[in-house]
Amino acid sequence: MDATTLDIEPLDGCGAMVRGCDVRRATDGEIDRLRQAIFDRGVIFLEDQQLTPEDQIAFARRIAPIVVNRYFPKTERYPEIAKVEKSEAQTTNIGGGWHTDHSYDQAPAMGSVLLAVETPPTGGDTLFADMYAAYEALPEATKQTLLRLKAHHASAHVFGENSAYARTDRPELSGHKDTPEAVHPVIITHPGSGKRALYVNPAFTTGIVGWSREESLALLSELYAHAIKPQFVRRFQWRPGSMAIWDNRCTWHCAMNDYQGHRRLMHRITLDGVPLAA
Ligand code: SIN
């Protein structure tokens, strides 16, 4: 397969579908095109990728360096691969609210490579929202206000002692002592596309720097409602061998939890990022 067979089709809402690509055999030129498509479209989807864990790790490393997530359970032999799993009996899933990964880090994760291993007969889709488009659609005066603001991001309320997961049937995801916090611009310029994106998210953003909690919540809740308008959202339906590679700097994602009584297992590799600037 050479670069001419690889087809990247932009999708409505968010993302692009890639056809004609077996990532195990991708040329360096194809890897560059995939990386740029991730930067430009926010997320790319591929089907029928028959990958061993070694294949997934080798492919991910060609896109960007790998960073190991602090909180998720790892696959037995591969610390680079986190298990995003929900068993038949569990009721809480991982990533079941809108978020972007690792925004609590000083240099937030660039992205994630998620491979479907076991999927439920129906349900278990993932929603992706385009933060470039969400930014672009804001009124000009709001853009000018947001361009001057920074926001706090934290992890303790999700993964620390007595965190949200502690009150669910997934307490293993809580109780962590390593709970970083960071401050980032509310509007970032994406380092790989040069485009502006809205960079706050419902899971990890805890407030606007210099604003009271009430003032922060009023602004953030308005931005959150705006960012998930249907025109910015793409829903992806998985089957074993489906793969999504998303960019955390310009998308949000949300894993649907609508398949109670069935198992869903995904292998996730997180890609390292850089500090973000306005
Ligand atoms: C995640 O937030 O990384 C999980 C996404 C999913 O399981 O679809």
Side-chain angles (χ1 to χ4, degrees):
M1 214 169 263
D2 63 37
T4 57
T5 64
L6 188 151
D7 175 58
I8 301 175
E9 181 202 349
L11 299 170
D12 288 343
C14 182
M17 178 59 74
V18 177
R19 297 191 184 81
C21 182
D22 175 345
V23 299
R24 293 170 303 182
R25 298 187 174 78
T27 63
D28 288 346
E30 287 175 326
I31 293 289
D32 288 344
R33 286 184 66 199
L34 294 179
R35 190 186 303 103
Q36 197 59 47
I38 297 164
F39 291 166
D40 292 341
R41 297 296 309 166
V43 54
I44 60 172
F45 306 108
L46 300 98
E47 295 292 1
D48 304 319
Q49 302 296 315
Q50 308 305 329
L51 305 185
T52 64
E54 289 90 347
D55 292 333
Q56 190 185 355
I57 292 168
F59 168 64
R61 282 213 173 100
R62 294 181 73 196
I63 299 287
I66 291 173
V67 60
V68 174
N69 176 280
R70 297 171 181 82
Y71 308 123
F72 293 169
K74 316 285 181 289
T75 52
E76 285 70 21
R77 290 178 41 215
Y78 304 93
E80 298 92 336
I81 301 182
K83 278 199 289 194
V84 176
E85 184 175 21
K86 180 172 175 273
S87 71
E88 292 85 341
Q90 286 169 322
T91 57
T92 304
N93 68 341
I94 292 179
W98 282 108
H99 66 287
T100 187
D101 302 328
H102 297 208
S103 71
Y104 43 76
D105 279 330
Q106 300 294 332
M110 176 239 133
S112 293
V113 179
L114 191 70
L115 178 71
V117 179
E118 257 185 87
T119 53
T122 58
D125 300 349
T126 305
L127 309 178
F128 293 89
D130 182 340
M131 295 302 120
Y132 292 137
Y135 167 75
E136 279 306 327
L138 288 167
E140 198 50 43
T142 309
K143 285 183 186 169
Q144 292 309 318
T145 304
L146 298 183
L147 280 164
R148 293 193 292 271
L149 300 179
K150 293 186 172 189
H152 293 286
H153 299 250
S155 51
H157 59 289
V158 181
F159 297 113
E161 310 279 351
N162 300 318
S163 67
Y165 277 120
R167 297 182 287 280
T168 71
D169 63 348
R170 307 302 294 270
E172 76 279 8
L173 294 167
S174 73
H176 294 273
K177 297 212 170 358
D178 179 14
T179 51
E181 297 181 7
V183 168
H184 304 293
V186 167
I187 305 298
I188 59 154
T189 300
H190 189 285
S193 70
K195 294 193 284 186
R196 283 182 171 151
L198 180 63
Y199 193 74
V200 287
N201 71 89
F204 300 119
T205 305
T206 50
I208 303 294
V209 174
W211 288 27
S212 70
R213 184 165 168 71
E214 289 69 30
E215 289 168 333
S216 294
L217 286 180
L219 174 65
L220 290 171
S221 50
E222 242 180 72
L223 293 175
Y224 296 160
H226 167 76
I228 55 167
K229 286 181 180 153
Q231 61 266 37
F232 310 137
V233 174
R234 182 86 204 170
R235 184 181 188 116
F236 184 64
Q237 196 174 354
W238 302 89
R239 56 177 197 248
S242 305
M243 188 161 67
I245 309 158
W246 65 80
D247 188 318
N248 285 305
R249 289 87 53 96
C250 56
T251 58
W252 292 356
H253 56 282
C254 172
M256 300 297 292
N257 189 5
D258 55 355
Y259 51 95
Q260 196 57 44
H262 297 282
R263 186 172 137 87
R264 181 178 183 271
L265 173 65
M266 318 292 273
H267 280 180
R268 196 183 102 172
I269 296 179
T270 311
L271 302 174
D272 210 358
V274 294
L276 300 172

